[in-house]
Amino acid sequence: MNKIILFISLYFFNFICSAQHLQTRDELKPDWVDGFPEGCTTVAIGKSASFDGSVMTSHTDDSHRTRSEFDIVPPKTFKPGTMKTLYKRVPDNSKKMPAYKFVETGKIPEVENTFGYINTAYPCINTKQLAIGESTFGGRPELVSDKGLIDCTQLVTLMVERCSTARDAIKLAGELLEKYGWNDEGECLSIADPNEVWMFEVVGPGKGKVGAVWVAQRVPDNHISVNANASRIRQIDTSDTNNFMYSKNVFEVAIENGWWNPNDGPFEFCYAYADRNSLASRRREWRVFDLVAPSLKLDPNSENYPFSVKPDSPVTLEKMVEIFSDYYEGTEFDMTKNLTVTEDSGRTIISPFANPQMPYDMNKLFKINGGWGWRGERTIARWYTMYATIIQCRNWLPDEVGGLVWLAWDNVATSIYTPHYCSITKVPETTSTPGRENGFTRKSAWWAFNAMSSLAHQRWGDMRKDVRAVWDPWQKELFENQKSLEQEALELLKKDRTKAIKFITDYCFDWQVKIVDRCWLLFEELMTKYDELY
C-alpha cells in the first residue's frame, strides 16, 4: 500500500513539475502551444521535381510577434580586425503589440566581404542565390544552452552573409556553432542553392555548454520534403557523405544522456533529440505530401512519413501556392464541415460564416475539435502569418535573375505572391515600415493584408470569393509575365548591369505598391458590400 501511495505521489509531483515547465517554456516561447512550437512550415523541392528545373525552398513565418517588415542589405566590406556583434531574440511586451527585442550575446570576427541579401525576419536569400526557409521543432528542453552566442536568426544571417552554396552554409554552421555555441531551441532550416536543397536540423549541447548537435540531409533532386515544427531526420548514413552531414558529437551526446543505446537498434536523430508527438505537425507533413503525391495514399494519422517523396507530377508555382493556401478544405479535417445551415430550399450547406481561420476562443464556441484538440486542426494557411515565401534558385540563369523570392503578406489564403529578385536594391515604404511594434498603420503592407483578411473571415463563405476574384487574375499574370520579364532583364544584363538591376528593382517595387493599394481598396469594398451582413 505504501508503495502505491508513493507511486501516486511521485506521479502527480512529476505531472505538476512537467506542467509548470511547459507553462514557463510557453511563456518564454510565445509561438508555442502546450510545449510544442506552432510556428512555421517549410517545403523544399529538388530541381528535377520542379516544373522548370528550379531548386525551391519556402517558409511561412507564422508568429504572434515576429517583425513583418523587411529591407535590402547591400554587400559590405570590412577592415581587418572588425568584430561582428551577435544578438539573441527574446520576447518584448513593452511595445504596442507583442514583439521581440535583441539582446547582445557577444562578438565574433567579421569577414572581409559579405554578400547582399533580402533581410526578412529570417533573411531569405542572398545575391548568390543561397536561399533559406525555417521551421522550429523545439527538441529536448534540457539541450538548450545558456552559454552559446548564436540563435536561429543570427545563424541564418551569418549563412547568407558569408556563403554561396548550401553545403558551404552547413559547413559554416558546423564550424561557428562548435566554436561559439547554439543558444536556441531545435530548428530546421531548408537551405537551397541553384543546384540542390538540404534540410538542416540543429539542437543545443545542454545547459552550461558551448556547441551544438546537428544533422543535415540532402533532398533528392526528384523529391519534395517538408518540415512543419517537428524533427524529421531519422537514420544517418555515415558512409553517404554526398547526402548526409552531421556534427562529430551527434551520436556521443545521445549515448551520454541515455537517449540512445546502440544495442537497442539504429540511431534516429528525431527520436534521440526531439519526438514525433505533435499531430499538428504530422498532419501538415501528410497534407503537403498528399497534395503533391496523392498516389501514395499516405495515412493522415501516421507517426512518420518518408523524409521526402517523388511528386506525381512536376511541382509548379501554382501548386506551391495551393499548398500554402491550404486549410484541409474538402477533407475530413476541414474544421468548417459541420458548421452548416439549411437554406430556404431545404438544402444543407456550410454556413457562409463558417471560418477555417477562427481565433482559438471561437473554436470553443462552436465546439471544434481535432488533431490539435480544442484548437481544431493546425492547418498550413494561418491567420497569424507575418509573411510567406516561395523561392526559386536557377542554375541556368545569372544570379541577378536566377534568385527569385515570391513573397505574400499575412494569411496566404487571402493573399498574393509577388516577385522580389535577389538583386533588387530597394523596396517601397509599405514594405519596410514596421507592422507590429508600433501598432496599426496604413503605411504597412502587412497591416493592409491583415486588415483585409481579418474582415474577409467574418463572412468567409462569401467574402473569400471576392478576395480571390481580385488576386487570382493578378497571380496568373505575374506567373505568366515571368518569362518575358526575365528575358528583357537578361538582354539588359548583357549591355548594362546597372540598368538591368534598376529594371528588375522597379518591376518588383511597382508591383508591391500596386497590390498594397489594391488591398486597401478591397478592404473598403468588402466593408461596403457586406455592411450589416457579418
Side-chain angles (χ1 to χ4, degrees), residues 399-415:
D399 292 332
E400 294 88 344
V401 179
L404 173 56
V405 178
W406 295 94
L407 186 140
W409 299 103
D410 197 65
N411 186 349
V412 176
T414 48
S415 195

Side-chain angles (χ1 to χ4, degrees), residues 418-444:
T418 55
H420 299 75
Y421 286 86
C422 69
S423 59
I424 62 174
T425 58
K426 65 177 182 177
V427 294
E429 180 185 10
T430 54
T431 295
S432 58
T433 295
R436 292 191 62 81
E437 54 188 55
N438 299 323
F440 177 81
T441 172
R442 290 184 71 95
K443 294 181 179 180
S444 163

